[in-house]
Amino acid sequence: MSERRQLINLAYRLLGSLADAEDVVQETYARWYAMTRQQQEAIESPGAWLTTVAGRICLDLLGSARVRRERYVGEWIPEPLPDRTEWSNGWPGGGPVDPADRVTLDESVNMAFLVVLEAMAPAERVAFILHDVFRYSFAEVAEIVGRTPAACRQLAWLARRRIRASQGPATPAGRQAGIVREFKQAWEAKDIDALVGLLDPDATGTADGGGLVSAMLRPMEGGERIARAFVTVAGLAPGLAILERTVNGQPGLVLQQDGVTVVVLAFDVAGDRIKRIWSVLNPDKLRPWTTD
């Protein structure tokens, strides 16, 4: 069971969904316990075996996920994760332990990174995450992906190139937090000019309602359009509380109505401007943010 945290971390990065990651880990352990004691003892490295099985399950799921997401209502955004100290359902010493409390929040789970992963072919994504994030050798990756080590090396190189092409100049975390705070204050004040000044002219806003709540079905483009849309939302929901929170390891915002989280916002900040905003409204993806 000491491998569980590693498996949750791997599966979440591969699938972008905590619920799916939990299912993968459960299935992986089910296969382990389905073996006889003699079969288990014959496995030289149980950790490596569990990782191999979890990786293969994820690879299969990524293929079927593409089909599911073609039928998904609107845009699909990876499931946002809170910081461990903001986890509503508890953490060690403060209530029941939830799997997300064991997801290490680093640059490989920020929303911009996960969105780029979504555009990759399943084998490319698995090869890149296993090698570049979890430091598995290409020989080990090849066993999981079912390709040659050379092919896996090429897949990881392609993925690396995609990641580099999507990244702008790094913005220090403190500056990111400051810009998100300024956005929050301008939003609360319904100051369109201030919001426009914080947004890149070519900024993109994407919402994920999953067909369960009302949300725009296509990304919105243009800083001014996005600013006006946010001011409209503020006018339609006067009782909305806007809270600064950590979203996938980076500064973000959480919207609460009567104490219930209804939207989680993640930001991509480049320089002194916000380039992308992801708004997750799908209640199925807000489970970690909702107090029981």
Side-chain angles (χ1 to χ4, degrees):
M1 294 304 291
S2 63
E3 300 293 330
R4 185 175 179 83
R5 177 171 183 161
Q6 169 90 346
L7 298 178
I8 284 285
N9 271 277
L10 173 65
Y12 174 74
R13 285 162 175 78
L14 289 178
L15 302 174
S17 165
L18 180 61
D20 288 346
E22 292 176 36
D23 290 343
V24 166
V25 174
Q26 185 174 345
E27 172 62 21
T28 300
Y29 277 102
R31 295 186 187 185
W32 171 264
Y33 289 115
M35 293 190 295
T36 65
R37 176 60 66 107
Q38 185 177 10
Q39 289 172 320
Q40 291 173 352
E41 290 175 349
I43 294 173
E44 186 175 338
S45 173
W49 185 92
L50 291 167
T51 298
T52 298
V53 171
R56 287 173 178 166
I57 295 172
C58 286
L59 190 59
D60 290 341
L61 281 176
L62 283 170
S64 61
R66 287 198 158 193
V67 177
R68 292 202 312 272
R69 287 168 196 169
E70 286 175 2
R71 299 193 298 264
Y72 195 80
V73 178
E75 297 292 316
W76 191 94
I77 297 174
E79 183 178 340
L81 290 182
D83 184 79
R84 61 180 299 162
T85 59
E86 296 163 0
W87 182 258
S88 295
N89 295 324
W91 48 88
V97 177
D98 196 286
D101 186 43
R102 296 190 290 271
V103 176
T104 304
L105 298 178
D106 58 27
E107 63 180 14
S108 68
V109 294
N110 75 54
M111 194 60 75
F113 191 93
L114 292 177
V115 168
V116 175
L117 291 180
E118 281 298 315
M120 297 180 187
E124 184 182 341
R125 182 170 182 167
V126 173
F128 172 73
I129 290 294
L130 283 169
H131 180 267
D132 283 45
V133 178
F134 289 90
R135 302 303 177 188
Y136 282 84
S137 69
F138 283 118
E140 293 169 311
V141 174
E143 186 178 347
I144 295 171
V145 176
R147 308 276 185 98
T148 65
C152 291
R153 186 184 300 275
Q154 177 70 9
L155 288 171
W157 178 82
L158 289 170
R160 218 173 289 129
R161 189 173 65 173
R162 286 181 192 256
I163 294 290
R164 282 198 299 267
S166 71
Q167 291 176 332
T171 302
R175 183 59 186 140
Q176 289 184 49
I179 291 171
V180 171
R181 182 174 296 116
E182 290 174 36
F183 183 91
K184 169 184 179 290
Q185 293 167 346
W187 189 8
E188 289 172 329
K190 302 178 186 176
D191 187 338
I192 288 180
D193 290 339
L195 288 171
V196 170
L198 291 165
L199 289 159
D200 186 281
D202 298 321
T204 302
T206 306
D208 178 350
L212 302 176
V213 297
S214 178
M216 58 185 182
L217 299 181
R218 295 287 181 268
M220 180 179 292
E221 297 182 354
E224 186 169 346
R225 282 189 68 201
I226 293 169
R228 293 188 181 281
F230 272 88
V231 169
T232 299
V233 168
L236 293 174
L240 210 59
I242 307 172
L243 310 173
E244 294 178 45
R245 292 289 186 266
T246 299
V247 180
N248 285 62
Q250 294 193 320
L253 297 175
V254 168
L255 277 58
Q256 292 187 344
Q257 190 83 51
D258 300 323
V260 176
T261 296
V262 291
V263 185
V264 172
L265 300 174
F267 296 82
D268 181 21
V269 178
D272 289 329
R273 296 288 186 95
I274 297 168
K275 283 189 66 72
R276 288 178 288 182
I277 303 176
W278 295 279
S279 306
V280 180
L281 301 86
N282 185 340
D284 290 344
K285 296 182 179 182
L286 299 180
R287 179 171 54 89
W289 304 83
T290 304
T291 305
D292 291 334

